Amino acid sequence: MTNPTTPSPALLAWASRALGARPAVKDVSHPRENSRVWSLDLPGSVRFYLKVSPQPVMYERETLALRSAAPALGPGGAPQLRASSAEHLALLLTAVPGRPIKEQTLTPVEEARAHRHAGALLARLHAAGDLSGPRRTEAEQALQAAADGAEGHLAKAGDQLTVPEQKLVRERTEQLRILPALPLAYIHGDAWDRNLMWSQAQQQAGWIDFERSRPAAAVQDFVLMACSTWTDRPDLRAACLQGYGRNLTPEEQHALMCLAALDAVSCLVWGPKLDDPHVSARGRRTLDRLMAGVFA
């Protein structure tokens, strides 16, 4: 990772002014070049997080989400936005209780409870966002926008896909374009175990990292889990949707399969770029399941 391990003096000065004190700083960024996150600890075990968004659009999306929709998740259900700086693309956030669920060893019953809570939070988020005016238009065009990016990803993936696999992805892409209208929502956009917090002490879930939040088809918030966590754990799929309050409609389930094909190609492009074999493996496994007709 080539990022500095400490915030710039100007950025730290801004955060200190917002907090009213100079905190102890620790780099907690993901091992990726564009990840810049620090924990800021104040006396009395009070912790905040300082996050610099990689792109202005991500800063804008996360700021909007934390100001408008995420408060509907309730205390501990999402970070609270203490301050933001468009100059630095920086957000100063409260800590969410617990740790990412992927970093914990839980019993199957505990995992199901966490995913049930997570689904309930997504239901609140999906109902909270403003989908009027241009945002409704963005949501209505979200599947079309996803389909429009397919050819570019296929070109970049190159010979990582066989000819039959390329044909399958193109078929799924075209099916996205002709689906009937699906339920719309203000989605988290990056909902999977890396961003799902679970506090065993409080028996409470929370979502973090809202930088991809946007108006879209509600089903788009389940793609990452369908291509990762749910692959071997249908019980967690059932728990999440139980918390969500409804099952996916047949049309949404078909859309999920089509979106999974696009996610698989994206993984095969970004895995090598990020030097992340786990991302590449997710894409390969999803494609294999789709080709075998066992994706569900």
Side-chain angles (χ1 to χ4, degrees):
M1 187 170 65
T2 60
N3 293 329
T5 57
T6 58
S8 68
L11 181 57
L12 184 56
W14 169 79
S16 298
R17 287 195 299 272
L19 294 174
R22 189 176 181 88
V25 180
K26 180 182 179 182
D27 187 359
V28 293
S29 305
H30 292 298
R32 292 180 179 174
E33 186 174 355
N34 64 356
S35 178
R36 298 173 64 195
V37 185
W38 298 271
S39 64
L40 307 181
D41 290 332
L42 298 176
S45 300
V46 178
R47 173 166 291 179
F48 291 85
Y49 286 92
L50 175 60
K51 177 178 181 179
V52 175
S53 298
Q55 302 173 15
V57 65
M58 291 183 169
Y59 167 81
E60 293 164 4
R61 288 191 183 279
E62 188 154 23
T63 301
L64 176 62
L66 294 177
R67 286 177 175 165
S68 61
L73 276 59
Q80 296 178 26
L81 183 62
R82 177 69 175 264
S84 62
S85 169
E87 176 186 359
H88 299 292
L89 300 183
L91 302 96
L92 189 59
L93 310 169
T94 61
V96 173
R99 293 186 294 124
I101 194 169
K102 68 174 295 185
E103 298 177 4
Q104 301 187 52
T105 301
L106 304 175
T107 68
V109 171
E110 291 172 327
E111 288 180 291
R113 184 179 298 119
H115 281 264
R116 191 158 48 247
H117 283 229
L121 292 178
L122 287 180
R124 292 187 201 173
L125 181 70
H126 287 185
D130 177 11
L131 292 182
S132 62
R135 292 176 188 164
R136 174 163 290 276
T137 301
E138 181 181 355
E140 291 171 342
Q141 296 177 349
L143 294 180
Q144 177 73 42
D148 288 344
E151 282 301 326
H153 280 104
L154 281 169
K156 292 175 182 177
D159 59 7
Q160 294 188 77
L161 280 76
T162 65
V163 171
E165 288 171 344
Q166 292 174 4
K167 180 181 177 183
L168 178 142
V169 172
R170 289 191 172 99
E171 289 174 349
R172 296 291 183 262
T173 299
E174 291 310 307
Q175 289 167 14
L176 273 180
R177 300 184 191 277
I178 60 174
L179 282 169
L182 300 180
L184 305 178
Y186 191 86
I187 68 170
H188 179 281
D190 201 16
W192 60 320
D193 284 4
R194 187 180 72 184
N195 295 325
L196 174 58
M197 306 292 283
W198 177 249
S199 169
Q200 294 192 58
Q202 300 180 27
Q203 292 290 286
Q204 179 179 2
W207 288 105
I208 61 172
D209 286 350
F210 285 76
E211 62 191 25
R212 290 179 172 81
S213 296
R214 62 194 186 277
V219 69
Q220 289 178 266
D221 235 356
F222 299 106
V223 175
L224 295 183
M225 288 185 285
C227 294
S228 57
T229 310
W230 294 355
T231 301
D232 300 311
R233 295 294 302 276
D235 59 319
L236 297 185
R237 180 186 192 277
C240 182
L241 292 178
Q242 182 184 30
Y244 189 63
R246 68 174 179 86
N247 288 319
L248 301 180
T249 66
E251 293 80 10
E252 286 179 308
Q253 183 59 38
H254 188 73
L256 186 64
M257 182 174 60
C258 297
L259 290 164
L262 300 185
D263 180 73
V265 179
S266 178
C267 286
L268 294 178
V269 171
W270 284 103
K273 283 189 176 182
L274 298 172
D275 193 25
D276 191 332
H278 297 290
V279 171
S280 298
R282 185 179 94 209
R284 173 44 52 195
R285 187 176 189 190
T286 299
L287 267 181
D288 289 345
R289 292 169 62 213
L290 288 167
M291 291 296 292
V294 297
F295 186 90

